[in-house]
Amino acid sequence: MTRQMKNAAWILCIWLGMTDLYAQIGAHYYHAEKFSLEEGLGHSVIGDLQPDANGFLWIYTIGHLQLFDGMNFINMNHLLHEDPLHGQFNFVYTDEIFFINRNMLYKLNTVDYSADKMRSLELPGAQSEYMTYRILYENKTHLFIHSVKDSVYFVDKQKMKIDDVMQLPHKLHNYTVHNDINHRAIVPGQIEYVAEDNFLYTIDLKSKQVTARQDLVEVYNIVKVSRDTFVTVDSENLNVYTPSGQIKVKKPDTDVITWNHLIISHDNKLLLALNNTVYEFDLTTNKFSARIKEIGSDRLADLKVRMMEIDIYGNLFFSTFNKGLVKLHPRYPGFNFIGSNELDKNFVKSISGSDQSNLILMGTLEDGLYVFDTTGQLKNRFMKFPDGSVHPNIRGILKMTETDYMIMGDAFYHFTVRGDQYQFKKINDFKPTWVAYYNQPLEIPEKNKYYLSVWDGLAEFTLTDQLASRFYELHPLDGAYAVTRFNDGFVSAKDAVIKQFGPELKEPVHTWSIPDYGYFRCIIQYSPNSILLGTDFGLYHIAIEGEKLQPRKLYDKLVYAILPGDAKDEFWFSTDYGLFELKPDGRLTNYSREIGLQENEFNTNCAYKSSTGKMYFGGINGITSFYPADVTEDPDIIQSYVSSFSVNNEVVARYLKDEPEIKFILSPKQNNIGIDLLARGNKSPLSYNYQYLMKGLNAEWVDMKRNSHLNFHLKSGTYTFYYHIADSFNPGVTPSEAISIRILQPVYYRWWFITSVVLFLIGIALYVASQKRKRVVMKIRYENKLTQKLQNERMRISRELHDNIGAQMATVKRNINFMISNNEVLEPAQVLNKMKDLEGISTQINQELRDTIWATQHEHISVFNFIARLKNYIFQTLGPESAIRVYYVENCDKEVILGPFLALNLHRICQEAINNAIKHSGATEIKICFEGESEHFKVTVIDNGRGFDMQTIHEGYGLKNIKHRAEMIGAELNFTSSNGTGTILEINFRQLESSNNSMDT
């Protein structure tokens, strides 16, 4: 069996499982990727598609021949002599790809996908706008191509020439795909086809005799199952023809089948696509065994499958009617999905349940409380509780018995389940301070003690008739933290501090400070003397050695929740890259959405392990549930590519693999290098982690995360580019995949050029001596120019101090004189107000003086330092308690240099705009965007305030000041505002270098 057939068998063997006839399988979840015009597909109508031996998908759409590598759609029209209007691929009996376009046959290059190694053959007959030829049959040496004139051409695949031709006595059936008759089970020396009279005919290739084999009566699709068995589809039935007779199986519905809706998945299974679903038919039982009705949140009835293909990785591709391409990933056994497709997303905040009671409770961020059985069937949903209160955000669920739970919404409820009967009882002594964004449950049923973490401690509950409660303060300040049981006590982590408590939760037994790892999200005991800590910066194993902690990083990205596995020292944790299994030997295994998870992204402390060992991890689209022992690990063998290598924005090579030596020797002007990486494996290319090391440029691995595009502007020299693609970043990996890049020296660095220059200088030495006096004069002029430029800089700083600080000092002087002159008549309250005004002005003078000194002390100010300065100013202005939220978008080159005067005035413009938004607009959100590179730079300040009418607004001092400063530094200003829609201010430098070098800056 070929690799493609093995993978195809694997994907269908694990699909959905056997169910009652036509019943929907609801417990499984398939990750699907949809591709249309927005993702680069040439046209939403796909004429034909075929995977090649590398797993890349060739696609023919209206007007386009494209190659899809799992991430990018590459236009391959340059391989053809004319625009592709009507075409067909062969069915890949070997590793070669052929494409017929009108009367041209192309043997496509699948080695490096270039045009120079591609061959073509013009078939007899004039060109036509329509498809005049079809591939009828293929073996190792020949393609058998049928024309509309009923001729069959025998084309040698290697020599690309016609060896023979024969005539058919019949016209072919218009609605059958003839190559599928011979695709799966080759009968040496024979071709089978369906004629327009619905008879199946056989051609003997040696004698060229045509024999009628079977009257099919009516046929829409036909596929060969084995050498002596084939299946057809008509309007009512699926027909299985065997040597012993015909078996009719009624279709689940009577949709009319169109082109290529029937495909063999492996020896005993085939897939049939109808309008409402894709059915699996078991040829051993002659029954429809399962179906795929939904992929993610999309119904196949809405997509309408047109064609199906399976690639070497087991991915099933659907061509749809006018809606592009769908890629369905095979799932691993063991993972199940619990959620609801009624909404686009189920942001899960809390999970609990009972395998014994067949119950799963799912608390969500905005959609209330869901009640499922353990297979994922929705039993009930509560947004509005029986007392009339509405609780969309279910922050915590605390299990006390198999039927008793505590539900934390905006209030606290005792939730009791008896079969399908649900009872809510509100807890009256509920404290509002217990309401936190994250609530982590801790259950100690053997002691009848149940805990729920709140802002600054633990709320303890004891299940009695009155439900006794008690509160323990663990951290004096508000804020979410992580807590877990540790030996006979507890351990908590918050704000770079870890505390150990005894069983009575009194004063901490130990308090340790550890490095700032970002937000501490989850914690769990690893051994009697160590813990696992999940943070924004990764997963850490922290050993407790007396009064010291010894942290060791195990994983380098954000960790949401941790659960213990079945084996000793086995743990599972959730991330933004899916689930990871930490094995006892320290190895990590990654599982992602492509194999059945709800999504790759999960939520903090949203995890639950049942008494039977079943795990539940909640994320942004439901729950992933599984028994660890049921998860079959299938190693993901990743094929790494440089999918494109560009020089000065022009692609010079595609799909470079790890070969012994790949070298590029480039001229000095060919120094803008673009590199796109690609991972091919069981997952989507967007789910892998990319990293690179460029020797000659940097000495350590650079983590690109999910980004696969790189761009370098290189100086002359020799560089070696290494790349590595895996599930996670590995800074210690040994370089393997590499590309050598050599940028030649400019001509003026070469020896012969230098020699010529030296000889030339000797020859003109006397002339240079005679021009000495002129050079002295030029030097004096240059020094005068420098002096004038220095004087201009001094004058600019003087004007800055005079216009701003001088004017404010004058205001201070006037206020002081007024208070002295009117001392006797001023009331104390008036004096106090004047003093407060003076204090504010003094503070502003101090700030502006600092800004001026900051600018003048630096000859060059980078965009990075400018942004940091502005962020610090905003933080000091708003303070930590401000309700206004500030967002920063930094899509810019932070190494770009700003002149001091330009930086100072741009800083002042941003200050004025931000102060206006804070003081006058009533805004609750401010977004500041930085964009640009070395040539141009733009800063945009956006607020969601009340805005103003651009036609009627009075141009006050602040707006005039902004415009004046913009003119001084050569910036363009764009205001956009209207009543009720907020304000947008754009400060745009179209020629940043000119602004930096102008006399005004």
Side-chain angles (χ1 to χ4, degrees):
M1 184 182 290
T2 66
R3 181 183 178 190
Q4 181 173 358
M5 293 294 288
K6 290 179 179 177
N7 281 281
W10 178 80
I11 179 177
L12 266 301
C13 283
I14 64 172
W15 270 23
L16 295 183
M18 306 293 278
T19 60
D20 293 335
L21 186 61
Y22 315 148
Q24 179 183 358
I25 309 300
H28 296 297
Y29 177 82
Y30 285 82
H31 177 67
E33 295 176 283
K34 292 176 289 185
F35 303 94
S36 58
L37 301 180
E38 295 181 355
E39 289 75 31
L41 185 64
H43 197 283
S44 58
V45 178
I46 297 176
D48 197 8
L49 69 162
Q50 188 66 263
D52 65 17
N54 296 320
F56 297 158
L57 190 69
W58 290 86
I59 301 174
Y60 154 63
T61 67
I62 296 177
H64 298 273
L65 176 66
Q66 291 185 299
L67 184 69
F68 179 56
D69 60 19
M71 183 186 297
N72 311 290
F73 289 90
I74 310 300
N75 194 328
M76 306 300 283
N77 281 10
H78 63 280
L79 299 181
L80 308 180
H81 296 164
E82 68 284 322
D83 292 336
L85 298 176
H86 295 276
Q88 177 209 4
F89 295 106
N90 64 320
F91 52 90
V92 193
Y93 179 76
T94 60
D95 290 342
E96 300 167 305
I97 290 284
F98 292 85
F99 181 69
I100 289 184
N101 185 45
R102 295 186 287 184
N103 70 326
M104 293 296 298
L105 174 67
Y106 297 94
K107 183 179 182 180
L108 303 177
N109 172 22
T110 58
V111 178
D112 57 13
Y113 299 92
S114 62
D116 56 349
K117 299 177 184 177
M118 190 199 68
R119 301 177 64 186
S120 62
L121 171 67
E122 184 174 357
L123 299 170
Q127 289 192 8
S128 169
E129 294 183 2
Y130 304 101
M131 185 187 298
T132 56
Y133 295 90
R134 288 182 180 177
I135 298 175
L136 182 63
Y137 177 66
E138 176 183 5
N139 58 26
K140 291 183 179 180
T141 59
H142 284 80
L143 291 174
F144 299 87
I145 300 174
H146 171 258
S147 76
V148 293
K149 296 181 179 180
D150 302 327
S151 300
V152 177
Y153 296 95
F154 296 46
V155 178
D156 188 302
K157 293 162 66 173
Q158 297 303 315
K159 298 179 181 179
M160 289 294 286
K161 72 181 189 68
I162 299 173
D163 281 348
D164 202 351
V165 63
M166 67 169 289
Q167 295 291 321
L168 293 182
H170 317 89
K171 289 186 177 181
L172 298 185
H173 197 292
N174 288 331
Y175 298 105
T176 59
V177 182
H178 300 98
N179 58 20
D180 277 350
I181 304 176
N182 303 285
H183 190 173
R184 311 296 171 176
I186 299 295
V187 179
Q190 291 185 3
I191 298 178
E192 293 171 304
Y193 69 92
V194 180
E196 62 181 358
D197 59 4
N198 284 316
F199 265 83
L200 177 66
Y201 292 90
T202 299
I203 304 174
D204 184 282
L205 293 177
K206 186 175 182 180
S207 65
K208 298 182 181 179
Q209 296 296 315
V210 179
T211 306
R213 175 179 172 184
Q214 184 78 42
D215 184 0
L216 303 177
V217 183
E218 178 186 24
V219 60
Y220 292 131
N221 244 186
I222 182 170
V223 65
K224 196 76 175 285
V225 176
S226 65
R227 290 190 176 187
D228 55 7
T229 303
F230 60 94
V231 177
T232 67
V233 183
D234 58 35
S235 59
E236 297 290 337
N237 302 303
L238 187 143
N239 307 292
V240 182
Y241 292 89
T242 68
S244 59
Q246 177 185 359
I247 302 171
K248 288 182 174 288
V249 181
K250 188 173 180 60
K251 291 188 323 186
D253 60 53
T254 57
D255 291 343
V256 174
I257 307 299
T258 57
W259 188 43
N260 209 9
H261 274 61
L262 188 66
I263 184 173
I264 290 288
S265 59
H266 57 90
D267 291 342
N268 293 315
K269 298 285 176 65
L270 52 78
L271 297 176
L272 172 66
L274 303 179
N275 269 347
N276 65 334
T277 188
V278 174
Y279 289 89
E280 181 183 282
F281 185 78
D282 191 327
L283 290 164
T284 61
T285 62
N286 290 322
K287 291 181 179 180
F288 288 97
S289 56
R291 68 175 178 173
I292 312 167
K293 186 176 182 180
E294 295 178 347
I295 48 175
S297 59
D298 294 302
R299 296 187 310 134
L300 291 185
D302 296 329
L303 297 175
K304 294 190 177 180
V305 177
R306 184 179 183 186
M307 289 176 286
M308 298 182 288
E309 287 290 347
I310 300 173
D311 70 7
I312 62 173
Y313 297 100
N315 302 301
L316 184 63
F317 288 92
F318 297 104
S319 163
T320 66
F321 278 90
N322 303 325
K323 292 189 178 181
L325 180 71
V326 176
K327 178 182 178 182
L328 189 65
H329 290 268
R331 30 180 327 276
Y332 277 19
F335 290 109
N336 296 300
F337 170 72
I338 298 177
S340 172
N341 289 327
E342 297 174 1
L343 305 173
D344 291 337
K345 296 289 184 183
N346 290 131
F347 289 86
V348 184
K349 288 294 298 297
S350 50
I351 308 171
S352 190
S354 168
D355 293 337
Q356 291 89 334
S357 300
N358 192 25
L359 177 72
I360 294 298
L361 301 180
M362 182 178 83
T364 65
L365 177 65
E366 296 178 339
D367 304 309
L369 176 68
Y370 285 79
V371 182
F372 297 94
D373 65 18
T374 53
T375 67
Q377 296 298 319
L378 180 63
K379 300 175 69 176
N380 216 319
R381 178 189 172 197
F382 301 96
M383 174 86 79
K384 186 175 183 180
F385 285 11
D387 61 1
S389 60
V390 177
H391 299 273
N393 187 351
I394 305 300
R395 297 170 173 84
I397 304 175
L398 187 61
K399 178 182 177 182
M400 305 184 79
T401 71
E402 301 298 327
T403 57
D404 292 275
Y405 300 85
M406 295 300 148
I407 307 297
M408 169 77 80
D410 292 327
F412 210 102
Y413 289 84
H414 182 188
F415 180 63
T416 306
V417 183
R418 299 288 189 272
D420 291 333
Q421 301 298 315
Y422 311 99
Q423 181 179 359
F424 291 85
K425 182 179 180 181
K426 189 172 183 180
I427 308 302
N428 294 324
D429 60 350
F430 171 82
K431 297 178 176 59
T433 57
W434 291 353
V435 176
Y437 186 74
Y438 295 114
N439 290 106
Q440 178 183 354
L442 290 175
E443 302 162 1
I444 312 178
E446 66 272 16
K447 295 184 179 181
N448 192 21
K449 289 186 177 182
Y450 305 89
Y451 299 89
L452 200 65
S453 64
V454 295
W455 278 118
D456 53 357
L458 283 177
E460 178 188 88
F461 302 92
T462 303
L463 186 60
T464 64
D465 293 339
Q466 300 300 320
L467 190 66
S469 63
R470 186 177 178 183
F471 175 73
Y472 300 92
E473 183 181 273
L474 302 186
H475 295 270
L477 299 177
D478 290 349
Y481 65 97
V483 62
T484 189
R485 295 185 65 183
F486 186 77
N487 297 330
D488 62 344
F490 300 86
V491 166
S492 65
K494 178 178 181 283
D495 295 336
V497 173
I498 293 180
K499 295 181 180 181
Q500 181 182 357
F501 297 87
E504 301 304 322
L505 287 167
K506 295 180 180 179
E507 291 298 319
V509 178
H510 293 285
T511 299
W512 299 278
S513 295
I514 62 173
D516 183 7
Y517 296 140
Y519 176 45
F520 293 173
R521 294 180 177 269
C522 51
I523 190 170
I524 195 170
Q525 184 167 0
Y526 183 83
S527 71
N529 295 307
S530 65
I531 56 176
L532 291 178
L533 179 64
T535 75
D536 286 352
F537 294 172
L539 179 69
Y540 294 85
H541 175 268
I542 300 179
I544 302 173
E545 299 178 0
E547 298 299 322
K548 294 184 179 180
L549 298 181
Q550 296 296 333
R552 177 169 60 94
K553 181 179 279 191
L554 304 177
Y555 174 73
D556 69 313
K557 293 182 177 63
L558 186 150
V559 174
Y560 288 110
I562 312 172
L563 288 178
D566 292 341
K568 183 179 182 296
D569 297 337
E570 175 198 353
F571 293 86
W572 292 72
F573 60 94
S574 55
T575 72
D576 281 335
Y577 280 65
L579 290 178
F580 280 83
E581 179 187 7
L582 173 62
K583 297 182 181 296
D585 59 4
R587 291 183 299 115
L588 293 176
T589 301
N590 176 234
Y591 301 93
S592 66
R593 61 185 179 178
E594 287 84 358
I595 58 175
L597 305 189
Q598 55 87 35
E599 257 294 342
N600 276 343
E601 183 178 348
F602 290 81
N603 284 334
T604 298
N605 271 324
C606 190
Y608 168 73
K609 185 175 182 181
S610 72
S611 59
T612 64
K614 194 170 186 178
M615 292 187 176
Y616 299 86
F617 284 91
I620 63 171
N621 193 29
I623 297 174
T624 297
S625 66
F626 60 97
Y627 286 100
D630 291 345
V631 176
T632 303
E633 179 182 351
D634 188 7
D636 187 5
I637 301 174
I638 303 173
Q639 176 67 59
S640 301
Y641 292 90
V642 172
S643 61
S644 68
F645 187 91
S646 302
V647 177
N648 293 347
N649 297 321
E650 181 179 348
V651 177
V652 298
R654 290 193 184 277
Y655 303 111
L656 303 176
K657 299 180 183 179
D658 182 18
E659 299 176 359
E661 189 172 354
I662 301 175
K663 286 187 177 181
F664 291 94
I665 300 177
L666 306 172
S667 71
K669 293 184 178 180
Q670 294 177 306
N671 60 349
N672 188 4
I673 307 300
I675 297 176
D676 286 285
L677 302 178
L678 176 69
R680 293 306 308 273
N682 294 338
K683 297 188 288 190
S684 167
L686 297 174
S687 291
Y688 292 103
N689 194 92
Y690 297 81
Q691 63 187 76
Y692 79 93
L693 187 155
M694 179 75 88
K695 284 192 176 179
L697 192 64
N698 53 284
E700 296 181 350
W701 285 99
V702 177
D703 185 5
M704 301 165 59
K705 298 181 174 61
R706 291 186 177 94
N707 179 37
S708 60
H709 175 73
L710 291 162
N711 190 267
F712 300 98
H713 192 76
L714 301 177
K715 298 179 181 179
S716 296
T718 300
Y719 306 87
T720 304
F721 176 79
Y722 297 97
Y723 60 97
H724 181 70
I725 308 173
D727 291 323
S728 60
F729 177 60
N730 184 357
V733 69
T734 301
S736 56
E737 295 92 350
I739 295 177
S740 176
I741 304 170
R742 182 185 174 194
I743 309 293
L744 297 175
Q745 293 279 6
V747 172
Y748 47 81
Y749 279 127
R750 301 181 187 181
W751 69 268
W752 55 267
F753 182 83
I754 295 174
T755 302
S756 300
V757 170
V758 170
L759 293 175
F760 177 76
L761 291 175
I762 293 174
I764 65 171
L766 293 175
Y767 176 79
V768 171
S770 68
Q771 300 296 317
K772 182 177 181 180
R773 183 176 180 181
K774 183 177 180 180
R775 290 166 58 194
V776 170
V777 173
M778 293 176 63
K779 181 179 180 181
I780 294 173
R781 290 178 180 175
Y782 177 72
E783 290 175 349
N784 291 338
K785 185 176 180 181
L786 288 179
T787 302
Q788 182 63 41
K789 189 172 183 180
L790 179 60
Q791 182 64 24
N792 290 342
E793 187 65 25
R794 290 171 177 166
M795 291 299 297
R796 284 195 294 269
I797 295 173
S798 298
R799 288 198 301 270
E800 176 67 26
L801 293 173
H802 178 270
D803 293 346
N804 293 281
I805 299 175
Q808 291 168 340
M809 289 297 294
T811 302
V812 171
K813 181 179 179 182
R814 286 195 301 271
N815 277 275
I816 293 173
N817 290 337
F818 176 79
M819 292 171 62
I820 294 172
S821 301
N822 297 276
N823 181 41
E824 297 179 356
V825 297
L826 289 173
E827 296 291 335
Q830 292 176 310
V831 173
L832 181 60
N833 290 336
K834 286 292 184 180
M835 293 300 290
K836 289 182 178 179
D837 292 341
L838 290 174
E839 181 186 14
I841 295 173
S842 299
T843 301
Q844 186 174 356
I845 290 172
N846 186 39
Q847 180 64 41
E848 293 189 359
L849 187 57
R850 286 180 179 177
D851 292 340
T852 304
I853 293 172
W854 163 72
T856 56
Q857 282 183 337
H858 297 83
E859 183 178 355
H860 301 293
I861 298 172
S862 68
V863 170
F864 175 84
N865 290 332
F866 175 82
I867 294 173
R869 182 79 180 181
L870 186 59
K871 286 182 178 179
N872 183 58
Y873 168 79
I874 294 171
F875 177 78
Q876 292 180 351
T877 301
L878 291 177
E881 304 299 329
S882 174
I884 298 176
R885 302 190 69 178
V886 182
Y887 302 90
Y888 301 93
V889 180
E890 302 172 11
N891 296 327
C892 61
D893 184 353
K894 295 184 181 180
E895 299 302 320
V896 170
I897 298 300
L898 305 177
F901 192 68
L902 185 148
L904 177 60
N905 280 276
L906 179 57
H907 185 72
R908 293 276 167 77
I909 292 172
C910 293
Q911 284 179 334
E912 188 73 37
I914 291 164
N915 286 334
N916 287 341
I918 295 171
K919 297 177 180 179
H920 307 301
S921 71
T924 61
E925 292 183 1
I926 300 174
K927 182 187 286 186
I928 305 174
C929 305
F930 304 93
E931 303 173 70
E933 299 174 355
S934 58
E935 292 298 325
H936 60 86
F937 185 63
K938 183 170 73 172
V939 181
T940 308
V941 181
I942 307 169
D943 67 66
N944 66 344
R946 63 179 63 92
F948 55 86
D949 189 340
M950 298 289 292
Q951 303 299 323
T952 61
I953 186 68
H954 174 67
E955 191 175 278
Y957 173 76
L959 194 56
K960 288 181 179 179
N961 195 24
I962 289 176
K963 290 185 176 180
H964 175 67
R965 290 185 182 278
E967 290 176 359
M968 287 196 299
I969 58 177
E972 295 181 4
L973 285 182
N974 292 313
F975 280 98
T976 304
S977 184
S978 60
N979 289 329
T981 63
T983 303
I984 302 175
L985 170 62
E986 291 184 354
I987 310 113
N988 195 357
F989 298 91
R990 296 197 179 276
Q991 294 294 331
L992 188 57
E993 183 176 358
S994 299
S995 295
N996 274 328
N997 294 331
S998 70
M999 294 302 294
D1000 289 334
T1001 60

